[in-house]
């Protein structure tokens, strides 16, 4: 469902009663038809929600660990003869969930009209009831359901007539425009009648001309423009700012573009990948508004007047005949803000150096932006940078994502999600900006579950491959564009007994082409032959993870220095950075005075004391 459609649905279905929910600052449409609207607000202790559903029967809302019914915390309510009812329930199986002994959801109000049932209710974020899921800043799998009849007085709610699941982040720090600029302009960077290939994964590129600007402007908001019906296929969009090249191969607006990284795509389009990222959008992201003191610069001396748009189409059903006109709407203004926005990608290399063994329940992969690389670009910038948002990105096996900062051995969490969902590529706006300065190291950790796999999964562009990325939104903009790292190839192959390879990080080759030198009996094997000769199991996967973490890594970064215009490609071999004071895991304690014991979040005082002394605050 497009953003405009959602806005219209919200306006139409809320009608005159919209004023009653003005205190509920967040809202989402949970189903594709716009029949289940959810509004909510929260503070540090509780969340308050209002469900508006096109039914005069019962309404159900649940929090699931994985999108399924078992293990879900569910609330069911209805209005009958003018009286509103609400029941707190817990699902042990795929059946009518029984009522919870501890009724922790509190009904605040409820009514129905000719078309809708409206229920408002609240609950503590952490109830200490083992049958209630903790509501935190992780991704939540939100179950929704309804039946057009009220529950029977004897048998209770009948089987749902409508149901579904949607991933959402309930405790979010969305940035709302404090004040709009006096002069607002917009430009749509979109595909044009692009035929979506009938294969699971496609990366499609299009060169788009930007409006001619005589002076510098700031982009202050980015909105998705998704073709109706393609919402589940357009997975993410990247827009790169092209540097000046008057001879770059142009394409008319109606040109559909080319598949990225193929011979059909003009070579000089690839130059745009050397430019800075203007915008990053992923499925579920919605609008992106920058804080009022920052904006992304266009029309400046570094602007070639063109952008390269890259769209990832995820078409697992391999549907045919789909046409796309999706893209992003850039809202910009000549009223400049205080700082220029930058986007920094910290990632694992996207190739076979990323190996996720099969049959692993929790397999960790770490990558980092090397301190020396970061220092080089911070030196040129002449000042620290402030991170205000993080967008984690991985694929189907990823279950947890975390981005951290290491300073003087002490690790601080910038962003984390212990319930990551590939289908919610959400940008986490930090509650407090985090300073990155010389001497710091930025790390990304991805945790995967591959217990259902029988063969290794490798890094790659396909949805069936994996990635491990963090996009950091920060200011003021520096020249650094990306940092990546991976375990040294000999570190990887050494786990299987390889002693020597023909490889130099200063002159890297395609990892699958690295020759094996010793031992002699393995010299006729390829890189993939060696990896796939390992007899994998859960224990073996954890041994492999520990082996990699104690060995050498190769780190690289790239950017165009402003002082001389040269592109810097930094490469270094080093050990994986390890904090001497790791970020403390949340501590869960609950009083047993109520007769139930469950999770309640608190931070250990010694760790908080360390954080206070460093003036680094926890964010997402």
């Amino acid at each position: 469902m497009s953003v405009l459609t959602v806005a219209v649905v919200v306006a139409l279905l809320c009608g005159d009663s919209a004023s009653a929910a003005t205190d509920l600052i967040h809202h989402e449409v949970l189903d594709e038809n716009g029949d289940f609207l959810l509004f909510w607000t929260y503070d540090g202790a509780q969340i308050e929600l209002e469900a508006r559903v096109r039914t005069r029967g019962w309404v159900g809302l649940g929090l699931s660990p994985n999108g399924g019914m078992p293990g879900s915390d569910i609330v069911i309510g209805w209005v009958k003869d003018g009286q509103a009812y609400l029941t707190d329930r817990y699902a042990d199986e795929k059946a009518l969930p029984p009522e919870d002994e501890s009724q922790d959801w509190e009904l605040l109000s409820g009514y129905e009209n000719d078309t809708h049932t409206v229920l408002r209710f609240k609950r503590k974020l952490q109830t200490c009831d083992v049958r209630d899921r903790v509501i935190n800043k992780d991704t939540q799998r939100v179950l929704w359901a309804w039946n057009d009849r009220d529950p029977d007085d004897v048998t209770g709610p009948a089987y749902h007539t409508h149901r579904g699941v949607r991933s959402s982040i309930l405790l979010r720090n969305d940035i709302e425009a404090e004040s709009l600029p006096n002069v607002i302009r917009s430009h749509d960077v979109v595909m044009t009648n692009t035929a979506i290939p009938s294969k699971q994964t496609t990366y499609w590129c299009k060169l788009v001309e930007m409006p001619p600007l005589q002076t510098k402007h700031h982009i202050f908001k980015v909105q998705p423009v998704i073709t109706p019906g393609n919402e589940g296929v357009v997975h993410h969009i990247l827009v790169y700012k092209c540097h000046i090249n008057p001879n770059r191969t142009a394409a008319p607006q109606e040109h559909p573009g080319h598949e990225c990284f193929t011979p059909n795509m003009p070579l000089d389009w690839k130059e745009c990948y050397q430019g800075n990222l203007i915008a990053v959008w992923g499925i579920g992201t919605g609008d992106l508004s920058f804080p009022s003191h920052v904006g992304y610069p266009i029309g400046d001396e570094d602007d070639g007047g063109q952008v390269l748009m890259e769209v990832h189409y995820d078409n697992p059903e391999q549907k045919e005949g789909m046409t796309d006109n999706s893209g992003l709407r850039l809202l910009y203004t000549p009223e400049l803000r205080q700082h220029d926005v930058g986007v920094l990608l910290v990632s694992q290399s996207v190739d076979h150096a990323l190996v996720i063994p099969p049959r692993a329940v929790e397999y960790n992969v770490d990558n980092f932006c090397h301190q020396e690389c970061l220092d080089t670009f911070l030196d040129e910038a002449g000042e620290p940078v402030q991170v205000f948002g993080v967008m984690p990105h991985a694929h189907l096996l990823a279950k947890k994502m975390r981005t951290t900062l290491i300073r003087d051995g002490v690790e601080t969490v910038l962003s984390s999600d212990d319930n990551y969902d590939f289908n919610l590529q959400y940008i986490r706006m930090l509650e407090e900006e985090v300073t990155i300065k010389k001497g710091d190291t930025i790390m990304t950790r991805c945790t995967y579950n591959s217990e259902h796999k029988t063969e290794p999964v490798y890094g790659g562009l396909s949805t069936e491959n994996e990635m491990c990325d963090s996009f950091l939104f920060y200011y003021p903009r520096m020249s650094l564009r990306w940092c990546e790292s991976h375990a040294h190839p000999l570190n990887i192959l050494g786990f299987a007994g390889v002693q020597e390879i023909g490889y130099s990080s200063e002159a890297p080759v395609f990892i699958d082409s690295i020759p094996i030198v010793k031992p002699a009996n393995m010299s006729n094997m390829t890189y993939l032959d060696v990896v796939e000769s390992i007899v994998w199991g859960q224990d073996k996967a954890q041994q492999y993870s520990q082996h990699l973490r104690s060995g050498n890594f190769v780190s690289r970064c790239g950017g165009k220095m402003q002082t001389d215009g040269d592109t810097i490609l930094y490469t270094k071999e080093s050990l994986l950075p390890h904090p001497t004071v790791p970020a403390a895991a949340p501590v869960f304690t609950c009083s047993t005075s109520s007769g139930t014991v469950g999770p309640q979040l608190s931070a250990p005082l010694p760790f908080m004391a360390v954080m206070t002394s460093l003036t680094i605050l926890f964010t997402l």
Side-chain angles (χ1 to χ4, degrees):
M1 182 176 292
S2 70
V3 173
L4 178 59
T5 304
V6 169
V8 171
V9 167
V10 170
L12 290 177
L13 295 188
C14 291
D16 295 335
S17 63
S19 60
T22 54
D23 58 323
L24 305 178
I25 60 176
H26 305 289
H27 71 266
E28 281 189 355
V29 180
L30 298 188
D31 69 309
E32 288 296 325
N33 297 322
D35 291 332
F36 198 125
L37 274 66
L38 185 66
F39 296 78
W40 73 93
T41 191
Y42 65 91
D43 57 27
Q46 66 180 14
I47 187 169
E48 185 171 325
L49 305 101
E50 184 169 292
R52 302 182 178 190
V53 188
R54 190 185 297 275
T55 183
R56 288 174 55 82
W58 65 258
V59 171
L61 189 74
L63 301 176
S64 166
N66 51 24
M69 189 84 165
S72 296
D73 178 9
I74 295 174
V75 59
I76 294 179
W78 62 95
V79 177
K80 186 174 183 179
D81 299 328
Q83 176 69 41
Y85 300 88
L86 195 78
T87 56
D88 184 353
R89 297 168 179 264
Y90 178 83
D92 289 306
E93 56 184 346
K94 292 183 179 180
L96 175 64
E99 293 189 22
D100 195 338
E101 292 179 2
S102 176
Q103 291 289 301
D104 295 303
W105 286 102
E106 179 183 347
L107 177 66
L108 299 176
S109 63
Y111 67 91
E112 63 183 5
N113 55 29
D114 291 342
T115 58
H116 283 71
T117 294
V118 179
L119 296 168
R120 184 181 283 216
F121 42 95
K122 68 178 182 179
R123 202 204 78 180
K124 292 180 180 179
L125 301 179
Q126 301 153 24
T127 65
C128 293
D129 181 350
V130 293
R131 293 184 178 273
D132 289 343
R133 294 190 60 78
V134 175
I135 300 174
N136 55 23
K137 294 176 181 178
D138 293 346
T139 299
Q140 302 283 347
R141 269 67 167 188
V142 180
L143 306 180
W144 55 267
W146 75 83
N147 186 294
D148 291 327
R149 298 177 59 184
D150 290 330
D152 183 88
D153 292 338
V154 177
T155 59
Y159 193 75
H160 44 64
T161 54
H162 303 78
R163 66 179 177 91
V165 60
R166 179 185 177 93
S167 288
S168 180
I169 295 177
L170 297 177
L171 306 193
R172 59 177 65 171
N173 187 36
D174 293 342
I175 294 176
E176 301 295 336
E178 298 174 7
S179 60
L180 292 175
N182 294 315
V183 180
I184 298 176
R185 296 167 181 166
S186 68
H187 184 69
D188 288 355
V189 179
V190 296
M191 293 294 174
T192 306
N193 296 323
T194 298
I196 300 176
S198 56
K199 58 181 181 178
Q200 175 159 352
T201 301
T202 302
Y203 284 76
W204 199 266
C205 286
K206 181 178 179 180
L207 192 73
V208 179
E209 298 287 338
M210 294 291 288
L213 299 174
Q214 302 303 315
T215 61
K216 178 179 174 180
H217 287 57
H218 267 157
I219 296 173
F220 63 91
K221 190 169 188 175
V222 178
Q223 297 175 315
V225 182
I226 309 301
T227 301
N230 292 355
E231 294 87 354
V233 178
V234 179
H235 191 266
H236 68 257
I237 303 173
L238 304 179
V239 177
Y240 293 87
K241 180 180 178 181
C242 302
H243 294 301
I244 298 172
N245 179 355
N247 299 317
R248 183 176 293 114
T249 304
Q253 175 61 30
E254 62 273 13
H255 193 282
H258 298 282
E259 187 167 359
C260 309
F261 321 115
T262 63
N264 288 335
M265 179 172 141
L267 283 175
D268 53 14
W269 285 20
K270 297 179 182 178
E271 297 172 0
C272 299
Y273 282 115
Q274 303 304 314
N276 286 301
L277 274 169
I278 284 183
V280 178
W281 176 89
I283 186 170
T285 296
D287 294 357
L288 169 61
S289 295
F290 291 136
S292 59
H293 54 294
V294 300
Y296 191 92
I298 56 174
D300 55 357
E301 68 280 357
D302 194 35
D303 194 338
Q306 299 168 319
V307 297
L308 181 70
M309 177 172 60
E310 176 191 291
V311 178
H312 172 194
Y313 293 113
D314 182 40
N315 186 10
E317 297 180 7
Q318 300 183 19
K319 295 180 181 178
E320 298 181 350
M322 300 181 70
T323 301
D324 191 54
N325 295 279
S326 300
L328 300 178
R329 176 167 298 136
L330 309 178
L331 278 66
Y332 58 98
T333 178
E335 300 172 16
L336 298 183
R337 299 181 168 196
Q338 184 178 0
H339 300 287
D340 289 347
V341 168
V343 183
L344 172 62
L345 171 62
V346 180
S347 73
Q348 162 78 32
S349 60
V350 186
D351 56 20
H352 284 163
L354 172 57
V355 181
I356 301 172
R359 304 184 181 92
V361 176
E362 285 203 356
Y363 180 78
N364 293 324
V365 169
D366 293 289
N367 61 68
F368 61 100
C369 188
H370 198 281
Q371 171 187 327
E372 292 182 18
C373 172
L374 198 55
D375 284 357
T376 299
F377 288 89
L378 286 170
D379 261 338
E380 189 205 24
E383 59 183 320
V385 299
Q386 308 293 326
V387 177
F388 63 86
V390 178
M391 177 180 171
H393 174 72
H395 288 179
L396 296 172
L397 297 184
K399 302 305 175 186
K400 299 179 182 180
M401 298 281 294
R402 191 176 74 156
T403 304
T404 62
L405 165 71
I406 300 176
R407 176 177 300 160
D408 298 328
V410 179
E411 185 179 41
T412 303
V413 177
L414 276 69
S415 170
S416 67
D417 190 339
D418 286 347
N419 200 26
Y420 176 80
D421 185 359
F422 172 70
N423 291 308
L424 184 62
Q425 304 288 322
Y426 197 80
I427 298 175
R428 278 81 169 164
M429 291 296 177
L430 308 189
E431 292 181 355
E432 298 285 345
E433 295 175 352
V434 175
T435 302
I436 307 293
K437 59 184 183 180
K438 289 183 62 177
D440 291 346
T441 300
I442 304 170
M443 300 198 67
T444 298
R445 167 173 286 190
C446 300
T447 302
Y448 304 94
N449 185 318
S450 63
E451 59 184 331
H452 60 291
K453 295 291 185 178
T454 58
E455 301 292 337
V457 174
Y458 298 97
L461 296 176
S462 169
T463 303
E464 293 299 314
N465 294 129
E466 268 303 339
M467 291 185 177
C468 182
D469 303 337
S470 287
F471 294 90
L472 275 62
F473 293 76
Y474 70 92
Y475 71 88
R477 184 165 64 102
M478 56 181 173
S479 301
L480 180 61
R481 296 190 305 271
W482 56 269
C483 291
E484 72 171 27
S485 65
H486 60 82
H488 192 288
L490 185 56
N491 188 11
I492 298 171
L493 298 175
F495 185 72
V498 173
Q499 300 165 355
E500 183 180 342
I501 59 175
Y503 173 84
S504 169
S505 61
E506 298 300 324
V509 297
F510 188 56
I511 194 166
D512 295 353
S513 303
I514 294 174
I516 296 169
V517 179
K518 293 182 181 178
N521 65 340
M522 300 179 76
S523 61
N524 64 338
M525 298 177 70
T526 68
Y527 172 90
L528 289 180
D529 287 339
V530 174
V531 174
E532 294 178 2
S533 70
I534 301 171
V535 180
W536 294 106
Q538 185 171 336
D539 291 342
K540 182 72 75 172
Q542 296 308 319
Q543 294 168 13
Y544 177 66
S545 176
Q546 293 302 317
H547 169 85
L548 294 186
R549 289 171 55 78
S550 62
N552 270 357
F553 277 66
V554 178
S555 56
R556 295 189 177 91
C557 71
K560 181 166 287 189
M561 303 294 282
Q562 296 173 355
T563 51
D564 56 17
D566 289 339
T567 297
I568 301 298
L569 183 63
Y570 172 98
T571 303
K572 187 175 181 66
E573 293 184 18
S574 66
L575 294 174
L576 180 71
H578 291 281
T580 54
V581 182
V587 176
F588 296 94
T589 58
C590 267
S591 169
T592 59
S593 59
S594 64
T596 60
V597 179
Q600 184 170 353
L601 181 64
S602 63
L605 290 177
F607 179 73
M608 290 304 295
V610 173
M611 293 298 97
T612 302
S613 67
L614 291 171
T615 66
I616 301 174
L617 300 179
F618 268 112
T619 57
L620 292 178

